[in-house]
Amino acid sequence: PGRYFQLVRSRTPPGEPLELVATRRPYDDPGVARPYYRLRLLDSTPVAKTFMPLELTSARMARLRELFRQPLRQVTELPGYKPETAANPFVTFRDLPVDSRYRFLLDDARFFMMGFMKGPVCRGQVALNVITDHFWVFFVAPDKPAPAALAAMLARDAPNLRLPAENDGATGLLAWGEYARAETRHMKNKQEMLGRLASSQRPGLSLLWDGGGNPDAALTVFRHFDSASVLRGLAGERPQTAMLIGYPLFERMHYLLLAGFDVYGNVGHQLASRLYMDFLRMEGELDFVTLLPRDERQATMDHWYRGTDTQHEGYLADVRDLYPRESGIAYRDGDRLGELYRLLQRRYAALRDPALDWRGNSGLKPAEITTLRQLSALRGAPAAAMPELSLLLVQRTGGTTAVVSLVRNSAHSNVAEMFDEDRRRLPGEDTLLALDGIAGAYPNLFFAVDAGELPEFAAAVAGLRDGVDLEGLVDRFGVRRSDRRFWTLSDEVHAAWRRRDPREAAVLDYSRYEDL
């Protein structure tokens, strides 16, 4: 307990002093005939913005053997280190079963999704504005389509699945059209494969991975302007968008945003990565809307991409033709998208984190929870006036402090462009979510409230209209950097986190704490 290790490459085998192989990417040439994968004790303090613990147990080893060594497979030639092959997982791991590769990702889906958010690619506003502020993530069931058919399609479709890292940074803004054409070909090939496999089957809830008891089957992602976080379960009543991710998409996301992202790369590499993610996001959203009636898919995508440029309008103009098969869900409500969200909430209710329904060990009373639910109903000006992420500390004499995350979800007409984010802001559609526990790594403000004052705090938040009102709220309930209580309350926050989640609790980053 409390001891963590890093998995690294070493020039020396176990039993000898570790000699770290330091390369820009994990698949770069190590410069030795045989590198060894070894565990190195982590002697630094874990910080929440990069901390991603993964437990290594005998059960995990048995699972890895089940996926990749039963039965044993002959590999005639090991993959090389040239960027054009090492950067492409569909080439590098072609000797490993597609089904095993996908199930490996699904087993720890949240871990891999967190890698996208906590890795170096997600640094700064321009990198993060490729995603909406609040969206749900689901995954295609690993047996749909059949693994053999998917493997055959991936073998044929390899040229369309190339990633920016193959060009080693020699691409940039001009690559948009090339990526668009390759992605269009890939999606058409994917739909043709599905059409051949099950001509009578319509896309429905059975298409989605049910998790088999794994809570990673349904995730919520929050963007906090220039950082992001991932929660298990479906947080909030209605997200801004949603994604359905299958194996080829999941693998490409991992290689684009983590394994293949070069933190030392030039501007061309960073721009190409940002542009490519544009298409991966749209692919996940397009796959999700196949669950809607065919006549409503285009309208949903048009709403998610209001005011986009001509390139995006052309790319998203044929949703009906790209996904011609009708949905297999029998809808009854006039709000079909809202009905789909409710169906999904019921489907994944058994895997839902109790904390999302205030059934955790927060210590809050029913009346206090009712008040916090009122904060989650706020929309428009009050939500827009709040910080991106603030921590509400509910205190009572002689008791432990309850920590609540107040997450502002900023609305945009679209997230298809890198710049001019302010022009695409829709503050009238902003929402606020009160979550039990800690979400995110960069709190912008603390609010310290006695339990008896919670209704007054909620009423004050509901009355916010602008930054001046927020300053008044901070004057009454906030904790500024100069407040003598700041570090004491910070200790209480971290202590509460360690009590609730001792394995994942880490040190928060206050570099983005607001000075109002």
Side-chain angles (χ1 to χ4, degrees), residues 72-293:
L72 286 173
R73 295 168 181 85
Q74 294 298 320
V75 177
T76 57
E77 183 181 1
L78 292 175
Y81 294 109
K82 293 182 179 179
E84 58 269 26
T85 55
N88 190 330
F90 306 107
V91 174
T92 300
F93 300 115
R94 60 190 171 195
D95 290 328
L96 300 178
V98 168
D99 182 59
S100 296
R101 285 144 59 182
Y102 186 34
R103 291 180 187 274
F104 172 75
L105 293 172
L106 290 180
D107 282 355
D108 295 286
R110 177 173 174 261
F111 175 84
F112 286 105
M113 291 293 294
M114 282 200 305
F116 312 156
M117 311 304 168
K118 294 192 175 189
V121 67
C122 279
R123 290 290 182 269
Q125 171 199 5
V126 173
L128 267 295
N129 69 11
V130 74
I131 59 175
T132 60
D133 272 46
H134 177 207
F135 63 98
W136 289 349
V137 177
F138 307 93
F139 301 94
V140 176
D143 58 346
K144 292 182 173 49
L150 179 59
M153 189 273 288
L154 290 176
R156 295 192 304 271
D157 211 29
N160 297 322
L161 301 176
R162 297 174 61 194
L163 289 144
E166 293 184 24
N167 299 311
D168 207 21
T171 54
L173 286 169
L174 297 178
W176 201 96
E178 178 185 346
Y179 293 155
R181 290 186 290 273
E183 179 68 8
T184 299
R185 291 192 297 267
H186 167 63
M187 289 195 293
K188 288 183 177 179
N189 291 339
K190 181 171 65 175
Q191 289 306 309
E192 289 175 2
M193 173 194 66
L194 295 175
R196 290 193 300 269
L197 288 174
S199 59
S200 61
Q201 184 177 350
R202 295 181 175 185
L205 297 184
S206 62
L207 177 65
L208 278 60
W209 179 48
D210 63 10
N214 188 335
D216 288 11
L219 304 173
T220 299
V221 180
F222 293 112
R223 176 203 170 195
H224 315 291
F225 186 68
D226 52 8
S227 65
S229 54
V230 185
L231 272 63
R232 288 189 176 96
L234 303 178
E237 295 301 316
R238 187 175 183 125
Q240 294 173 347
T241 60
M243 296 176 63
L244 177 58
I245 297 176
Y247 169 66
L249 180 55
F250 205 174
E251 189 79 274
R252 280 183 295 159
M253 281 185 172
H254 176 69
Y255 264 72
L256 175 74
L257 302 176
L258 198 63
F261 183 76
D262 184 359
V263 67
Y264 301 106
N266 58 28
V267 174
H269 170 71
Q270 295 177 16
L271 287 176
S273 299
R274 169 60 172 78
L275 291 172
Y276 198 96
M277 181 57 199
D278 215 18
F279 293 99
L280 300 188
R281 183 198 64 247
M282 287 187 286
E283 180 178 344
E285 293 167 344
L286 286 165
D287 285 347
F288 178 79
V289 300
T290 61
L291 301 172
L292 291 171

Side-chain angles (χ1 to χ4, degrees), residues 300-497:
T300 299
M301 294 300 296
D302 289 346
H303 180 75
W304 289 353
Y305 288 86
R306 289 169 283 175
T308 52
D309 55 32
T310 304
Q311 281 182 312
H312 284 86
E313 286 180 356
Y315 181 77
L316 296 168
D318 60 349
V319 176
R320 283 171 54 92
D321 294 334
L322 190 60
Y323 296 89
R325 188 168 299 174
E326 184 55 89
S327 172
I329 301 175
Y331 287 92
R332 297 176 176 82
D333 196 324
D335 177 13
R336 308 295 174 80
L337 182 58
E339 184 178 358
L340 176 58
Y341 287 147
R342 292 190 293 273
L343 289 171
L344 291 166
Q345 286 174 318
R346 289 196 292 270
R347 187 175 198 265
Y348 293 99
L351 303 178
R352 187 174 173 85
D353 187 339
L356 292 177
D357 297 313
W358 302 96
R359 292 187 287 109
N361 57 351
S362 66
L364 293 165
K365 298 179 179 179
E368 296 164 353
I369 293 173
T370 299
T371 301
L372 292 169
R373 290 183 186 276
Q374 293 171 2
L375 288 173
S376 290
L378 294 179
R379 182 184 177 91
M386 287 289 285
E388 295 281 341
L389 173 63
S390 49
L391 296 182
L392 171 62
L393 286 66
V394 183
Q395 303 170 307
R396 57 171 51 88
T397 304
T400 57
T401 298
V403 181
V404 177
S405 294
L406 300 178
V407 181
R408 186 190 88 199
N409 301 309
S410 301
H412 301 78
S413 57
N414 69 80
V415 293
E417 303 168 39
M418 283 190 288
F419 307 111
D420 296 328
E421 182 172 351
D422 288 344
R423 178 177 58 82
R424 293 178 281 114
R425 281 281 285 116
L426 300 172
E429 297 181 15
D430 286 4
T431 60
L432 189 70
L433 271 181
L435 299 169
D436 185 8
I438 296 175
Y442 300 87
N444 304 119
L445 269 177
F446 286 166
F447 293 102
V449 179
D450 290 336
E453 295 179 315
L454 193 55
E456 297 175 47
F457 174 80
V461 173
L464 294 177
R465 292 295 176 268
D466 52 31
V468 175
D469 291 345
L470 178 61
E471 287 190 32
L473 182 73
V474 174
D475 287 339
R476 185 174 179 189
F477 298 107
V479 181
R480 291 184 168 90
R481 288 176 178 270
S482 57
D483 195 308
R484 64 173 60 188
R485 301 172 295 166
F486 181 87
W487 290 111
T488 300
L489 293 175
S490 172
D491 290 344
E492 291 185 19
V493 167
H494 287 94
W497 197 0

